[in-house]
């Protein structure tokens, strides 16, 4: 019997802070309104050169440093995100390349803000069945790129960032104890962002790139999402704790999706448990969607809120509608090592980048030297070259 244990965790936040006061210069709102309605004071905004993949890479590299596991031992990388840079290739594959995780499979997971818990469940199942040994599960977002900065109902909420955990198989009982995944597509309209396929454009008689009248942005019915969240978060916690064979009293820490302080307070009230049992960092980072739970987990660890043998619950909810929860036996003593102290690990990632470039160059050289892969195509190439001459 194999158990999937969290053995590493890491997060990354962009440097740039955007405070409520800054937003008050952009839309009609105030610091007081935002703080009392959401609990948010500030959020981070990715720099121009930062992407979801670079944020995810930074978080994963830190998590692997804590786990003391080299990327070459990673079997699976899952990136939960709502802001992939490309429809394909997956952000997870970009991360695989940046890490130099040469034997890992990699894919993205789209379950909005519940994505991290979905990913945790998927990776844990793969470990407990014995199909893989080590996985990195990441939640990463550059939501600032898809927020409508003229809509005060949404732009006050979201921020950028990434968090990751490393999961490893072990015969020692513990790790992921139980999990539940849920979805209700009838609520799709409550929180969504259209894809490139929405309002199809005729692909002729248009200058390229076609000008979009309505660039795609997050749309949300805040009140409805609020109501949905307070119901499902409480229900999911009760169910996952029960499935783990625990009682609510035995839960040491709940790390919920950081969407709104009031949702967390309402949940605590519903469950009749002290709000202190919930870890909150929404004031400093805002709603970072898939990144919010692993980001909060890392902050909880830094704040000394995690101890060996603690029972920890993760609970997420969001667009889809989706929601998910997981109960975990926290059985690691946080190592007294920060990523910065392991600067030498950076050399590994510089090598990974070099190796990737080398492979690209090799492919280009191969194409030049050997031309097309089949005799037929080679003949066509030769004919085309002759015609050109
Ligand atoms: O990751 C999961 C995704 N999302 C969520 O979890 C979001 C869940 N929902 C929420 O967090 C809250 O619904 C919001 C924070 C988005 C909004 O708070 P609310 O208490 O539900 O406000 P509301 O939408 O009911 O609006 C109340 C009033 C309205 O004015 P009137 O109609 O009463 O005159 C809004 O126009 O507040 C107004 N308002 C604002 N005022 C100042 C809405 N946004 C703002 C704003 N600043 N930013």
């Amino acid at each position: 019997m194999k158990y999937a244990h969290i053995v590493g965790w890491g997060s990354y936040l962009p440097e740039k802070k955007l405070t409520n006061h800054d937003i008050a210069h952009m839309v009609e709102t105030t610091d007081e309104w935002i703080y009392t309605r959401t609990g948010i004071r500030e959020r981070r905004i990715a720099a121009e050169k930062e992407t979801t993949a670079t944020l995810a890479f930074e978080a994963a590299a830190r998590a692997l440093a804590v786990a003391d596991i080299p990327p070459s031992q990673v079997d699976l990388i899952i990136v939960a995100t709502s802001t992939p840079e490309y429809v394909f290739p997956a952000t997870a594959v970009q991360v695989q390349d940046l890490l130099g995780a040469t034997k890992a499979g990699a894919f993205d997971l789209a379950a909005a803000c519940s994505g991290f818990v979905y990913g945790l469940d998927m990776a844990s199942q793969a470990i407990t069945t014995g199909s893989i040994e080590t996985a990195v599960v990441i939640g990463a977002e550059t939501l600032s790129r898809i927020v409508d900065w003229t809509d005060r109902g949404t732009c006050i909420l979201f921020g950028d960032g990434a968090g990751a955990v490393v999961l490893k198989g072990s015969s020692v009982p513990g790790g992921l104890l139980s999990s539940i995944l849920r979805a209700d597509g009838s609520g799709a309209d409550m929180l969504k962002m259209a894809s490139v396929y929405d309002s199809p454009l005729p692909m002729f008689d248009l200058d390229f790139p076609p000008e979009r009248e309505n660039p795609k942005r997050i749309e949300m019915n805040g009140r409805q999402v609020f109501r949905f969240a307070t119901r499902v978060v409480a229900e999911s916690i009760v169910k996952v704790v029960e499935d783990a064979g625990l009682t609510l009293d035995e839960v040491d820490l709940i790390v919920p999706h950081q969407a709104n302080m009031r949702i967390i307070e309402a949940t605590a009230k519903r469950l009749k448990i002290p709000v202190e049992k919930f870890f909150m960092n929404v004031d400093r980072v805002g709603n970072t969607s898939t990144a919010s739970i692993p980001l909060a987990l890392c902050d909880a660890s830094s704040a000394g809120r995690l101890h060996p043998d603690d029972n920890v619950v993760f609970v997420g909810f969001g667009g889809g509608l989706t929601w998910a929860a997981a109960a975990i036996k926290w059985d690691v003593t946080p190592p007294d090592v920060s990523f910065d102290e392991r600067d030498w690990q950076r050399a590994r990632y510089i090598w990974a980048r070099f190796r990737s470039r080398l492979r690209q160059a090799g492919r280009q050289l191969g194409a030049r030297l050997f031309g097309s892969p089949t005799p037929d195509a080679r003949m066509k190439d030769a004919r085309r070259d002759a015609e050109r001459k």
Side-chain angles (χ1 to χ4, degrees):
M1 181 73 185
K2 274 246 166 108
Y3 300 87
H5 293 254
I6 293 179
V7 294
W9 52 97
S11 63
Y12 178 80
L13 285 170
E15 285 277 308
K16 186 178 162 45
K17 286 180 186 170
L18 188 74
T19 65
N20 292 349
H21 294 290
D22 296 329
I23 293 187
H25 291 298
M26 297 155 60
V27 290
E28 207 185 321
T29 190
T30 59
D31 171 52
E32 203 245 329
W33 193 95
I34 301 173
Y35 184 69
T36 50
R37 300 279 177 142
T38 68
I40 300 168
R41 287 264 188 227
E42 60 185 36
R43 68 290 288 142
R44 301 295 180 99
I45 305 293
E48 208 179 319
K49 283 198 174 153
E50 287 177 320
T51 66
T52 300
T54 65
L55 266 52
F57 158 72
E58 291 291 345
R62 283 162 168 75
L64 285 165
V66 168
D68 204 10
I69 290 176
S72 56
Q73 280 180 24
V74 175
D75 301 307
L76 177 66
I77 299 169
I78 301 178
V79 175
T81 185
S82 302
T83 46
E85 210 180 334
Y86 302 98
V87 174
F88 59 86
T91 305
V93 178
Q94 293 176 270
V95 175
Q96 172 278 324
D97 191 43
L98 290 168
L99 288 173
T102 45
K103 73 172 179 92
F107 68 91
D108 283 2
L109 194 154
C113 308
S114 318
F116 176 76
V117 183
Y118 266 68
L120 198 70
D121 176 82
M122 295 291 106
S124 299
Q125 302 302 339
I127 287 172
T128 50
T129 59
S131 137
I132 61 164
E133 187 69 32
T134 308
V136 180
V137 181
I138 309 165
E141 302 289 359
T142 44
L143 293 162
S144 61
R145 310 247 160 97
I146 60 162
V147 161
D148 179 352
W149 289 105
T150 63
D151 174 16
R152 69 177 183 172
T154 52
C155 78
I156 55 158
L157 298 173
F158 299 104
D160 300 336
V165 296
V166 179
L167 286 165
K168 197 167 168 47
S170 161
S171 53
V172 178
L176 188 96
L177 304 174
S178 64
S179 55
I180 56 162
L181 311 180
R182 296 283 187 275
D184 175 9
S186 71
D189 264 359
M190 282 157 59
L191 179 52
K192 63 179 183 184
M193 198 194 93
S195 89
V196 287
Y197 292 108
D198 189 57
S199 62
L201 290 159
M203 295 312 285
F204 43 84
D205 288 344
L206 276 176
D207 291 331
F208 190 81
E211 257 189 44
R212 289 189 178 283
E213 269 181 27
N214 297 309
K216 306 306 173 200
R217 294 287 179 253
I218 296 176
E219 295 168 56
M220 181 179 76
N221 183 326
R223 280 183 206 181
Q224 282 188 24
V225 176
F226 195 101
R227 219 168 294 133
F228 145 77
T230 46
R231 179 176 57 82
V232 299
V233 172
E235 282 173 12
S236 312
I237 293 171
V238 170
K239 174 91 174 86
V240 85
V241 167
E242 200 181 288
D243 289 356
L246 300 168
T247 64
L248 271 179
D249 283 344
E250 289 172 305
V251 173
D252 299 285
L253 187 69
I254 300 171
V255 184
H257 168 43
Q258 309 285 313
N260 187 319
M261 179 178 67
R262 282 162 54 217
I263 292 175
I264 297 171
E265 286 169 351
T267 305
K269 213 166 164 191
R270 238 173 215 252
L271 295 175
K272 298 188 179 67
I273 55 177
V275 73
E276 289 72 34
K277 226 174 214 189
F278 291 78
F279 187 80
M280 278 195 259
N281 66 352
V282 69
D283 57 324
R284 297 186 302 103
V285 297
N287 180 345
T288 56
S289 188
T290 58
S292 90
I293 293 175
L295 265 171
L297 177 75
C298 293
D299 282 0
S301 163
S302 306
R305 294 282 304 272
L306 290 163
H307 315 97
D309 257 359
D310 275 0
N311 296 312
V312 181
V313 171
F314 298 149
V315 57
F317 60 91
L321 299 167
T322 57
W323 61 104
I328 281 146
K329 174 67 79 182
W330 189 262
D331 30 26
V332 220
T333 311
D336 203 14
V337 181
S338 80
F339 186 61
D340 299 334
E341 286 170 49
R342 297 192 177 183
D343 251 0
W344 58 268
Q345 300 220 6
R346 284 279 165 199
R348 174 179 283 154
Y349 299 120
I350 293 168
W351 164 242
R353 250 164 248 203
F354 178 68
R355 187 180 166 280
S356 175
R357 300 267 150 79
L358 215 62
R359 287 172 76 88
Q360 285 168 14
R363 258 178 230 124
Q364 279 164 10
L365 189 70
R368 231 184 244 166
L369 289 179
F370 308 115
S372 304
T374 63
D376 224 27
R378 268 200 295 277
M379 213 125 87
K380 273 187 203 152
D381 281 355
R383 222 174 291 139
R384 206 177 309 123
D385 285 348
E387 275 167 19
R388 258 191 227 132
K389 276 174 198 156

